[in-house]
């Protein structure tokens, strides 16, 4: 497989649902699989945006930090950046942008990433507060989220699209994180409009799905009664 | 990732459901990803069992052939064999064997393969007849299957287990193919009992999921109205 045609994912979205929030990979190891990505820390410790190999974390106070190599994560994905121009867009809201990207890319049945760089308005992000052992479920933990807003901000919207078939392993459809150019605002994106931005895209033909098989809590968990799809709909979409 | 801890999959089970049966990888390319595996040919041309790098096909007449490098497939998986002893079993039926393997391996939340070698009784297999363009759906094509039986046979049962979360991408739970030691009987397994056999297992921590992004029929198909889970339940379980 080509390095730039692969999306690497550690963990699954589904394992967050019952609260399997232990960090099962380190950032140092994770960055061997890409220079661009998103994720969350142990205990849902903030929202991660990796750009040009730099792992930014937006914590629940809205602060942006670069995390160390020993920072651990239960769930994250990464790719080696090779984005190609797709479109220049103006005055478009989140849902319409997603729709336009799907139409232009004709890639609904594979994994891809978009990097949207420019000026955004009405950006709403959230970051979850780190929880400790014993971890609560994703739905309960997500209630402890902080919400941040910016009227106008220049930055990078980093999005990942997964085919619906893989909902549960990943977020089916689009999943966006944001980082301002000034590195002072970002997080998991709840809403935005584009003022003016360049949309670039990187299509993947391979998902490299890594599972935390060394984590006994993960391996012995019975997922049968977890309402994975319902919880994802509530917490991540 | 370690070569032997990766399960490689080309295509998805879901794409077979609406009849996207074009061969989108060649056996020659596919064998770069493993020496052991299962799959099906273009148009559901028989049932494949790859053992020690040799790709055996059981066709709808029950004949066993070794296919050429230019044989193409819409869906198949492979691994580099590194099986470890799990158990010796006697007088156990299919469902009980699967249950025992899950209990002993404690690997329900990851992908793994089992190779069961010994003497089997009441083995029932099926092989689907190759269909041509325009391909019908999986359910319709599966009706054209031939069923084969052996009272007693020595051979290899090659099974793959996928976590339920990945049902649709793969077959959630166990999926078994069989090849007799005499290479004169095999196919997709519908039922069996073990007389006496050695069970070996290979656990994976990574699924390398490759999608046929160069196939326009696949990329432009709308899966929204395909009843993926229902069709898999009817045709593959």
């Amino acid at each position: 497989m080509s390095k730039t045609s692969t999306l690497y994912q550690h963990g699954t979205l589904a394992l967050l649902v019952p609260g399997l929030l232990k960090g099962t990979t380190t950032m140092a190891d994770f960055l061997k699989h890409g220079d661009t990505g998103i994720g969350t820390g142990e205990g849902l410790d903030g929202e991660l945006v990796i750009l040009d190999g730099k792992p930014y974390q937006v914590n629940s106070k809205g602060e942006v930090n670069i995390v160390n190599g020993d920072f651990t994560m239960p769930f994250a994905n990464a790719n080696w950046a090779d984005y190609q121009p797709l479109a220049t867009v103006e005055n478009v809201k989140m849902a319409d942008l997603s729709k336009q990207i799907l139409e232009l890319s004709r890639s609904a049945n594979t994994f891809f990433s978009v990097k949207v760089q420019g000026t955004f308005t009405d950006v709403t992000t959230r970051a979850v507060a780190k929880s400790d052992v014993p971890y609560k479920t994703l739905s309960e933990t997500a209630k402890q989220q902080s919400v941040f807003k910016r009227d106008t901000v220049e930055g990078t919207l980093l999005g990942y699209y997964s085919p619906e078939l893989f909902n549960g392993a990943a977020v089916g459809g689009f999943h966006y994180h944001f980082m301002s150019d000034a590195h002072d605002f970002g997080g998991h994106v709840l809403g935005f409009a584009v003022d003016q931005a360049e949309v670039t895209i990187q299509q993947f033909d391979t998902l490299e799905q890594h599972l935390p098989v060394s984590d006994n809590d993960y391996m012995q968990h019975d997922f049968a009664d977890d309402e994975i799809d319902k919880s994802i709909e509530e917490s991540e979409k």
Side-chain angles (χ1 to χ4, degrees), chain A:
Chain A
M1 62 186 165
S2 154
K3 211 168 74 158
T4 57
S5 70
T6 295
L7 176 65
Y8 178 82
Q9 179 167 287
H10 172 78
T12 63
L13 184 54
L15 64 77
L16 302 184
V17 170
L20 294 162
L21 306 183
K22 192 192 294 175
T24 47
T25 188
T26 64
M27 185 59 80
D29 278 342
F30 186 69
L31 289 175
K32 293 173 186 165
H33 301 281
D35 55 14
T36 304
I38 60 176
T40 187
E42 177 167 272
L44 301 185
D45 187 10
E47 309 283 346
L48 300 168
V49 189
I50 303 169
L51 293 170
D52 300 325
K54 290 208 181 94
Y56 300 98
Q57 175 212 35
V58 181
N59 68 20
S60 61
K61 294 177 183 170
E63 298 162 345
V64 179
N65 310 301
I66 292 183
V67 301
N68 293 327
D70 58 2
F71 183 88
T72 64
M73 298 162 287
F75 179 53
N77 63 57
N79 57 289
W80 295 105
D82 183 23
Y83 292 82
Q84 305 298 324
L86 183 72
T88 301
V89 291
E90 287 185 356
N91 299 320
V92 57
K93 289 185 178 172
M94 180 170 171
D96 289 333
L97 178 67
S98 296
K99 201 175 155 197
Q100 282 185 33
I101 290 171
L102 264 187
E103 284 172 4
L104 287 169
S105 69
R106 301 171 66 85
S107 297
N109 291 335
T110 195
F111 297 87
F112 63 85
S113 177
V114 287
K115 202 190 271 188
V116 185
Q117 292 172 295
T119 306
F120 298 80
T121 56
D122 299 320
V123 182
T124 308
T125 64
R126 73 106 193 272
V128 177
K130 183 178 194 305
S131 68
D132 289 310
V133 177
Y135 298 120
K136 293 177 181 165
T137 64
L138 179 63
S139 299
E140 287 165 342
T141 311
K143 287 176 190 161
Q144 307 297 315
Q145 69 183 21
S146 304
V147 173
F148 311 102
K149 297 194 184 206
R150 281 282 177 100
D151 289 342
T152 303
V153 59
E154 296 189 357
T156 299
L157 182 77
L158 182 61
Y160 289 87
Y161 174 90
S162 304
E164 269 309 316
L165 180 63
F166 293 90
N167 190 49
V171 180
F174 286 93
H175 184 182
Y176 295 111
H177 282 199
F178 187 83
M179 180 50 55
S180 67
D181 287 349
H183 302 134
D184 61 355
F185 171 77
H188 173 92
V189 174
L190 300 176
F192 65 87
V194 172
D195 182 27
Q196 200 277 337
E198 298 298 319
V199 182
T200 59
I201 186 167
Q202 182 172 354
Q203 190 193 77
F204 309 112
D205 66 11
T206 298
L207 172 70
E208 187 180 337
Q209 171 67 65
H210 182 258
L211 297 170
V213 299
S214 302
D215 179 18
N216 201 46
D217 291 340
Y218 169 73
M219 290 297 276
Q220 299 319 316
H221 181 77
D222 182 358
F223 284 92
D225 295 328
D226 297 323
E227 293 181 300
I228 304 292
D229 288 355
K230 182 164 171 280
S231 179
I232 290 172
E233 189 63 35
E234 289 171 359
S235 308
E236 296 294 328
K237 291 193 171 180

